[in-house]
Amino acid sequence: MSSQSFPPGPQTPPPAGRRPRVAVVFGGRSSEHGISVVTAGAVLRAIDRSAYDVLPIGITADGRWALTADDPERMAIADRALPSVEQLAESDTGSVLLPFEPHNREVVYSEPGSVPKVLGEVDVVFPMLHGPYGEDGTLQGLLDLAGVPYVGSGVLASAVGMDKEYMKRVFTSFGLPVGPYTVVRPREWEQDEKAARKRVVDFAADHGWPVFVKPARAGSSFGITKVEDLSGLDEAIAEARRHDPKIIVESLLRGREIECGVLEFEDGPRASLPAEIPPATAHDFYDFEAKYIDSAEGLVPAPLTGEQTREVQELAVRAFDAASCEGLVRADFFLLDSGEFVINEINTMPGFTPISMYPRMWEASGVGYPELVDRLIRAALRRPTGLR
């Protein structure tokens, strides 16, 4: 039986004398819309404008691709309120249209009643989208169809990194340690709510209260509730299902929260110095408010022994490889009281706000914010399109 080869699509460098053009795409339809705008603002501020041309494209909450102002100052949190693409869009009706055929990278802007305007070619996309409809492989598939290179992981790794159930299944198959969990899928809840709820109660009985009830496919700690006993379970499930009809329930792991960044270098992925998230005080756990509004301080580098640092760095790179990631990952761990590291999750597009742990870990490792952004863009430009 003959085998068929699938050669990678070659990268087409920009014409001589033209800087590579980076489309920074942000916003989106998920509940993480606002923090995506904040993240994109930080990246726009850091991109070397002498090396790259930049095209900001925002996706509104209802899915319209909008041409936006290149104005990072308007993309920050103000008075504890998150910005939106709608506030930045140059028009309430105009749409940005991406090419849907390989080797055509011209972006077009269309306004009702007007002749479409060609905005020029895009050489690479920097997708600063968090959550479903952006970080989960959907946008990555669109860009693969168009043959446009992009920063970060491809379809498979992005989907695995978004779905906490399948992420844990992949990690387990590669021998990485994960904590106890159970999953309730939408059909199970709809067909027999009583049986689905009993499974969660039985899980808590086996592993002990409290438990964490989470949306299976969401980030930035949205929809997560720490449930101390049976009385809070129904409300927690309803809150998680408000973000995702599929939920995951995890047992409380007693130990220290450790994070580690992974970045793709020319010779392969490398791990940063790890960080530690100190025990929450004003917040019950490291939730969205703690991460982005109240500027929770992580310890960078984490106060670990040299052996512990090497171990968590090795585990982070193993997780990166297990999920077939590219570009970047933030891997989150628990260091249990027993001394064992357990991986909680990975983020294939972690936050890039000024207080985000991923850039802070690389800053401590000798890679400053502008260099970090540049390395990610250059890694995407090196990578062939198509199957790889």
Side-chain angles (χ1 to χ4, degrees):
M1 182 177 179
S2 62
S3 61
Q4 185 177 3
S5 62
F6 296 90
Q11 283 283 24
T12 304
R18 181 170 75 77
R19 294 187 293 264
R21 198 169 196 212
V22 183
V24 178
V25 181
F26 58 93
R29 294 165 54 192
S30 82
S31 55
E32 297 175 79
H33 176 103
I35 200 62
S36 171
V37 177
V38 176
T39 302
V43 170
L44 286 170
R45 196 177 290 110
I47 289 179
D48 182 357
R49 302 306 177 101
S50 68
Y52 304 102
D53 288 331
V54 177
L55 177 65
I57 300 174
I59 302 176
T60 64
D62 61 3
R64 179 173 63 91
W65 290 51
L67 193 62
T68 67
D70 185 2
D71 188 355
E73 301 308 316
R74 293 171 57 197
M75 302 168 74
I77 297 173
D79 297 325
R80 301 177 71 87
L82 292 167
S84 70
V85 169
E86 285 79 1
Q87 296 167 349
L88 298 161
E90 295 191 352
S91 164
D92 293 335
T93 56
S95 296
V96 175
L97 307 175
L98 290 184
F100 289 97
E101 56 190 50
H103 313 302
N104 174 19
R105 296 181 181 172
E106 284 196 338
V107 176
V108 174
Y109 180 71
S110 176
E111 185 79 41
S114 302
V115 177
K117 177 184 176 182
V118 176
L119 298 178
E121 291 189 348
V122 165
D123 299 295
V124 62
V125 171
F126 203 136
M128 300 311 307
L129 293 152
H130 304 301
Y133 313 111
E135 190 183 348
D136 60 350
T138 50
L139 177 66
Q140 290 74 15
L142 174 67
L143 296 173
D144 281 341
L145 283 173
V148 179
Y150 51 90
V151 170
S153 292
V155 174
L156 173 66
S158 298
V160 167
M162 179 55 55
D163 191 310
K164 294 178 176 62
E165 176 194 2
Y166 287 97
M167 182 197 310
K168 292 176 187 292
R169 289 182 182 275
V170 167
F171 290 158
T172 300
S173 71
F174 277 82
L176 290 161
V178 303
Y181 69 95
T182 190
V183 174
V184 180
R185 296 183 175 87
R187 187 182 303 171
E188 296 174 301
W189 191 259
E190 292 158 6
Q191 289 182 344
D192 193 340
E193 181 178 326
K194 184 177 179 180
R197 185 179 186 277
K198 182 179 183 303
R199 184 144 57 83
V200 176
V201 173
D202 290 345
F203 174 84
D206 290 340
H207 298 283
W209 300 93
V211 297
F212 286 92
V213 179
K214 304 179 178 182
R217 297 162 293 192
S220 294
S221 300
F222 277 113
I224 298 178
T225 306
K226 182 181 179 182
V227 184
E228 299 288 349
D229 53 42
L230 196 60
S231 65
L233 184 60
D234 291 342
E235 184 179 349
I237 291 173
E239 172 61 14
R241 283 176 53 81
R242 192 168 67 83
H243 294 269
D244 185 349
K246 176 180 175 181
I247 67 168
I248 186 167
V249 181
E250 299 172 349
S251 64
L252 173 68
L253 297 178
R254 301 190 184 279
R256 299 160 62 186
E257 292 188 51
I258 306 295
E259 298 184 347
C260 190
V262 180
L263 177 64
E264 181 182 340
F265 285 74
E266 288 81 359
D267 59 351
R270 301 183 198 171
S272 70
L273 288 171
E276 179 170 3
I277 306 301
T281 53
H283 301 269
D284 200 26
F285 61 97
Y286 194 47
D287 61 4
F288 177 83
E289 291 271 328
K291 287 179 180 179
Y292 298 114
I293 304 298
D294 290 339
S295 307
E297 288 296 323
L299 304 176
V300 186
L304 301 171
T305 67
E307 182 179 352
Q308 288 172 327
T309 296
R310 288 187 293 273
E311 182 180 356
V312 77
Q313 288 175 324
E314 178 189 352
L315 287 170
V317 172
R318 284 176 58 192
F320 183 96
D321 287 336
S324 298
C325 295
E326 295 168 295
L328 72 164
V329 149
R330 193 195 73 231
D332 301 345
F333 298 86
F334 289 104
L335 175 55
L336 304 185
D337 295 340
S338 64
E340 177 190 9
F341 280 104
V342 171
I343 187 164
N344 183 38
E345 64 179 27
I346 58 171
N347 278 267
T348 56
M349 188 51 70
F352 264 78
T353 67
I355 63 169
S356 295
M357 297 308 297
Y358 185 84
R360 288 182 59 198
M361 288 187 286
W362 279 108
E363 181 82 40
S365 305
V367 180
Y369 196 100
E371 182 186 350
L372 178 62
V373 170
D374 185 66
R375 281 192 172 277
L376 289 169
I377 294 172
R378 287 193 284 117
L381 287 168
R382 283 196 309 270
R383 200 176 300 134
T385 57
L387 295 177
R388 51 191 184 271

